[in-house]
Amino acid sequence: MGNITLKQITKSFGDVQVIPPLDLEINEGEFVVFVGPSGCGKSTLMRLIAGLEDVTSGSIEIDGRNATETSPAKRGLAMVFQSYALYPHMSVRKNIAFPLRMAGMSKEEQNAKVEAAASVLNLTDYLERRPGQLSGGQRQRVAIGRAIVREPAAFLFDEPLSNLDAALRVGMRMEISELHKKLATTMIYVTHDQVEAMTMADKIVVLQAGNIEQVGGPLELYHRPRNTFVAGFIGSPKMNLFSGEEATKLGGDTVGIRPEHLNVSTESGMWKGRVGVSEHLGSDTFLHVHDTGLTDLITVRVSGEMAVHHGDTIYLSPDMDKLHRFGADGLRLA
Amino acid sequence: MSTQHSRTAARFMIAPATVLLLGWMLIPLCMTLYYSFRRYRLLTPDRTGWVGFRNYENFLTNPAFMDALTNTLALVLGVLIITVVLGVLLAILLDQPMFGQGIVRILVIAPFFVMPTVSALVWKNMFMNPVNGLFAYAAKAVGLQPYDFLSQAPLLSIIGIVSWQWLPFATLILLTAIQSLDSEQMEAAEMDGASPLSRFWFITLPHLSRAITVVILIQTIFLLSIFAEILVTTNGGPGTASTNLTYLVYAESLLNYDVGEGSAGGVIAIILANIVAIFLMRMIGKNLDA
Ligand SMILES: Nc1ncnc2c1ncn2[C@@H]1O[C@H](COP(=O)(O)OP(=O)(O)OP(=O)(O)O)[C@@H](O)[C@H]1O
Ligand SMILES: [Mg+2]
């Protein structure tokens, strides 16, 4: 239960092709995260899997059965929407019970399942309230509860945390991860927050303009980005990418080095630069370095505090084994 | 919400309108009350004087009164049911993406711009006339006896005409309400396995409840005082078959020349309208609380 295979699916809105032919394999029990810049087609891809949009061509298989023409309800998938999409006139209990009621389940069974889901999600005290009387995080949990009770083959989450404040987001992130461990059900999760992607995913799918740029585990993407797009997209602060003479010297058309893999010295080093803005986070300091002759701006991450000032001269040297080399086509070399 | 200062300013600025409206309403109301206790017949205008509750007695014991009362209720209820049911259906239909949506929407709203007298006359002469009407023509074309709507089913015909006029209003309000329904809710329900019918019943209809309440409240106010349509089509007849309270007041005052009794009827109509309003607010007013 919970295998999803996309074969050569495409999606066009009118003349505009939003998803060019795309193949993807999602295995049972996996936590798959779709990331990509805004408008790259993450939501569209998820809605295609859910059946809320028809594919223009290609096929979708769920658990080995062709589900391309199957209605959303019959695919056995549950979706948690960004706006939660709770039914405002129903109590929390009725919201969670709605899919069961639609399936024609008896009242007792419905209640038992709702209570069980509510206790998992800490909603027991709120069952008789309306969604309007709940906080954002509680609403989020109700939406998840409504998805859980159906015991779906897979969960689909479309940016479920983007309406929550930062602290709550961290909490809910953990809760969803916990839930995934507990239920061991396939989960597909859309986000443009790469911290969410890195921390939660078993497998990350990086999308750009509907194309899959790379599929892989979080660390694989971090250590071996397949091309310059993934290299620049995964990791925070962004990887420094430069081309030109220096890059050729180091063996690539474009060479990338992550801010955390640059060593800083005030006396000597491979590249000389001038300090611009420094961002002090306490645990780390991010230095913006200019005039290095590589690109306009090189970001450096230094552990702890670093006593440099705006305008100071600074020397940078990369960890040579942490360099990423890319060819003229943007693909990784070696 | 607002500061003390802005509230004062607001009161100050609506004052002229309020005073004007009060005058506009209070003076006729007081005169109606005054006449309802006076003897005032246009045929014998020189015989005047206080008559106590005699006018009220006459109006209430008038054999036409009960008919008028039931007709009024039937008219209001009939039109409400037709406009709300058809309005919901039409609103859902108009909400679907389709070719020429803008024009279709304008066409649907058009009847609301036609004056009641004009539309009633058009219905009477062009559609329902047993000799020249389109319906009669259609009936004859398929070999049926033309039906004389206005004399054989006068009240139903008027309900039909008035519904035609008010349907656009209901549709418009309900359409805007439907458009404000979050499409993700519908999609969530679809994924939850709700059939189109259950989706309508469990999601759309509850969402529309407030708009439906507004439609019912506003329409009731206007439907209780339907007059022009009756005047130009049936004249309340045959007999009293299509006389409502408003028309009865008119008939007493200006056809029987008894202004006193007509005024008493007016006061009674006001009281009844208020009773209806209180009932309505009790029953469905809670829908309006957010
Ligand atoms: N119903 C539609 N009609 C036409 N174009 C659409 C429609 N829905 C989406 N698109 C287009 O498809 C592209 C992908 O949209 P999508 O909503 O999948 O982006 P996304 O990756 O989810 O972005 P975000 O992170 O902002 O949510 C966009 O360019 C959008 O303009
Ligand atoms: Mg999206």
Side-chain angles (χ1 to χ4, degrees):
Chain A
M1 284 266 291
N3 270 311
I4 298 172
T5 311
L6 310 181
K7 287 188 180 153
Q8 288 293 304
I9 61 164
T10 67
K11 176 67 187 176
S12 306
F13 291 109
D15 297 334
V16 187
Q17 191 171 50
V18 177
I19 309 266
L22 177 151
D23 290 287
L24 183 65
E25 177 87 34
I26 294 167
N27 298 318
E28 145 113 63
E30 252 177 350
F31 198 116
V32 178
V33 174
F34 295 168
V35 284
S38 191
C40 68
K42 305 178 296 284
S43 300
T44 307
L45 189 55
M46 171 158 286
R47 292 166 58 81
L48 289 174
I49 296 173
L52 294 172
E53 302 273 359
D54 294 322
V55 295
T56 308
S57 70
S59 71
I60 298 175
E61 280 179 17
I62 299 176
D63 292 331
R65 272 177 298 110
N66 187 341
T68 318
E69 302 293 325
T70 313
S71 72
K74 300 237 163 62
R75 294 190 185 195
L77 308 175
M79 184 147 167
V80 176
F81 292 84
Q82 181 173 5
S83 68
Y84 316 137
L86 299 178
Y87 311 128
H89 52 277
M90 298 183 197
S91 65
V92 168
R93 179 188 297 280
K94 290 210 169 127
N95 261 286
I96 298 180
F98 189 73
L100 307 176
R101 186 167 167 197
M102 288 299 112
M105 196 176 273
S106 76
K107 265 264 164 347
E108 295 79 55
E109 254 181 299
Q110 280 183 29
N111 271 332
K113 292 209 170 195
V114 171
E115 309 270 344
S119 77
V120 171
L121 296 164
N122 286 326
L123 282 172
T124 313
D125 296 339
Y126 307 107
L127 279 177
E128 306 311 325
R129 292 213 200 162
R130 296 277 180 95
Q133 301 162 319
L134 298 178
S135 73
Q138 289 163 343
R139 279 181 222 180
Q140 178 64 64
R141 287 205 286 268
V142 177
I144 295 174
R146 194 173 61 186
I148 290 179
V149 288
R150 292 179 52 199
E151 295 170 11
F155 290 95
L156 310 176
F157 294 90
D158 191 353
E159 307 204 19
L161 307 186
S162 56
N163 287 345
L164 303 181
D165 67 52
L168 203 51
R169 214 180 303 183
V170 174
M172 284 306 294
R173 209 160 74 198
M174 303 311 289
E175 286 189 34
I176 293 178
S177 289
E178 285 287 324
L179 197 68
H180 178 241
K181 299 261 153 32
K182 213 180 298 182
L183 302 174
T185 312
T186 311
M187 290 190 177
I188 303 178
Y189 190 103
V190 166
T191 180
H192 56 241
D193 178 347
Q194 54 161 307
V195 179
E196 273 175 36
M198 296 297 280
T199 51
M200 300 170 86
D202 295 324
K203 185 152 109 184
I204 296 181
V205 178
V206 183
L207 291 164
Q208 186 197 199
N211 285 302
I212 294 186
E213 297 290 341
Q214 187 169 5
V215 180
L219 292 181
E220 186 186 343
L221 260 55
Y222 178 81
H223 290 302
R224 292 188 59 80
R226 204 172 69 84
N227 56 27
T228 47
F229 177 79
V230 179
F233 192 78
I234 298 288
S236 169
K238 281 173 65 163
M239 183 190 284
N240 300 299
L241 287 165
F242 54 89
S243 42
E245 211 176 306
E246 276 298 318
T248 323
K249 237 190 274 172
L250 290 168
D253 281 280
T254 305
V255 170
I257 180 76
R258 294 199 183 275
E260 50 270 43
H261 299 146
L262 280 167
N263 299 309
V264 184
S265 156
T266 45
E267 282 126 34
S268 66
M270 199 161 146
W271 300 311
K272 183 181 168 200
R274 183 178 51 79
V275 176
V277 176
S278 15
E279 299 175 275
H280 298 276
L281 302 184
S283 59
D284 294 303
T285 306
F286 298 149
L287 301 179
H288 294 215
V289 182
H290 304 278
D291 301 335
T292 51
L294 305 170
T295 57
D296 289 348
L297 168 71
I298 294 282
T299 316
V300 187
R301 176 177 186 165
V302 186
S303 246
E305 283 296 311
M306 169 113 193
V308 285
H309 300 100
H310 196 278
D312 286 0
T313 300
I314 206 173
Y315 295 90
L316 307 173
S317 346
D319 290 344
M320 292 310 276
D321 56 338
K322 295 279 169 59
L323 286 175
H324 303 265
R325 298 178 178 85
F326 303 95
D329 51 1
L331 287 180
R332 185 183 190 84
L333 300 172
Chain B
M1 273 265 285
S2 51
T3 61
Q4 186 70 41
H5 182 74
S6 71
R7 272 198 298 272
T8 317
R11 279 198 200 123
F12 186 70
M13 281 193 266
I14 60 170
T18 316
V19 169
L20 204 67
L21 263 179
L22 262 181
W24 222 264
M25 283 164 50
L26 269 185
I27 293 170
L29 182 66
C30 292
M31 286 183 70
T32 308
L33 269 173
Y34 171 73
Y35 287 137
S36 72
F37 293 106
R38 301 279 297 180
R39 182 190 160 89
Y40 184 6
R41 301 192 174 191
L42 295 177
L43 289 180
T44 51
D46 44 332
R47 290 180 55 198
T48 58
W50 295 97
V51 291
F53 281 92
R54 178 92 55 74
N55 284 329
Y56 288 89
E57 242 177 86
N58 288 346
F59 191 83
L60 288 171
T61 51
N62 186 336
F65 174 70
M66 276 324 274
D67 287 346
L69 201 59
T70 48
N71 285 343
T72 306
L73 287 181
L75 189 60
V76 172
L77 282 179
V79 175
L80 280 181
I81 291 170
I82 293 175
T83 50
V84 168
V85 171
L86 289 185
V88 170
L89 295 181
L90 260 179
I92 290 175
L93 218 60
L94 288 178
D95 191 39
Q96 312 296 322
M98 61 176 163
F99 179 73
Q101 196 170 40
I103 292 185
V104 172
R105 283 187 186 169
I106 290 176
L107 283 181
V108 167
I109 295 159
F112 206 49
F113 297 125
V114 182
M115 279 178 283
T117 28
V118 174
S119 85
L121 278 175
V122 167
W123 275 93
K124 178 187 179 183
N125 295 324
M126 285 182 62
F127 291 106
M128 293 175 165
N129 189 297
V131 182
N132 305 316
L134 272 180
F135 293 154
Y137 183 79
K140 274 184 272 186
V142 295
L144 291 173
Q145 190 68 28
Y147 189 74
D148 188 356
F149 289 91
L150 287 170
S151 54
Q152 281 167 283
L155 193 60
L156 281 180
S157 304
I158 289 175
I159 289 178
I161 295 172
V162 177
S163 299
W164 183 80
Q165 281 171 13
W166 281 94
L167 188 55
F169 172 77
T171 308
L172 206 62
I173 298 229
L174 294 169
L175 178 63
T176 51
I178 280 191
Q179 284 170 337
S180 73
L181 176 56
D182 175 17
S183 65
E184 286 199 345
Q185 254 181 59
M186 275 310 217
E187 289 175 346
E190 197 179 341
M191 294 210 64
D192 283 345
S195 64
L197 211 61
S198 328
R199 259 176 274 154
F200 171 74
W201 188 253
F202 290 110
I203 312 294
T204 312
L205 217 49
H207 176 77
L208 288 182
S209 63
R210 194 181 298 191
I212 291 177
T213 310
V214 169
V215 168
I216 291 179
L217 288 178
I218 293 183
Q219 286 201 41
T220 305
I221 294 169
F222 286 94
L223 294 177
L224 279 171
S225 56
I226 290 287
F227 176 72
E229 291 85 342
I230 299 177
L231 181 74
V232 301
T233 52
T234 62
N235 271 315
T240 54
S242 59
T243 298
N244 68 352
L245 271 179
T246 328
Y247 193 83
L248 186 62
V249 170
Y250 160 76
E252 282 306 327
S253 322
L254 295 174
L255 300 181
N256 292 344
Y257 305 116
D258 190 343
V259 177
E261 192 183 325
S263 301
V267 174
I268 290 170
I270 292 170
I271 293 169
L272 288 176
N274 276 290
I275 293 174
V276 170
I278 290 170
F279 263 105
L280 272 181
M281 288 310 282
R282 278 276 161 81
M283 278 194 306
I284 58 177
K286 64 178 189 307
N287 279 348
L288 291 180
D289 301 336

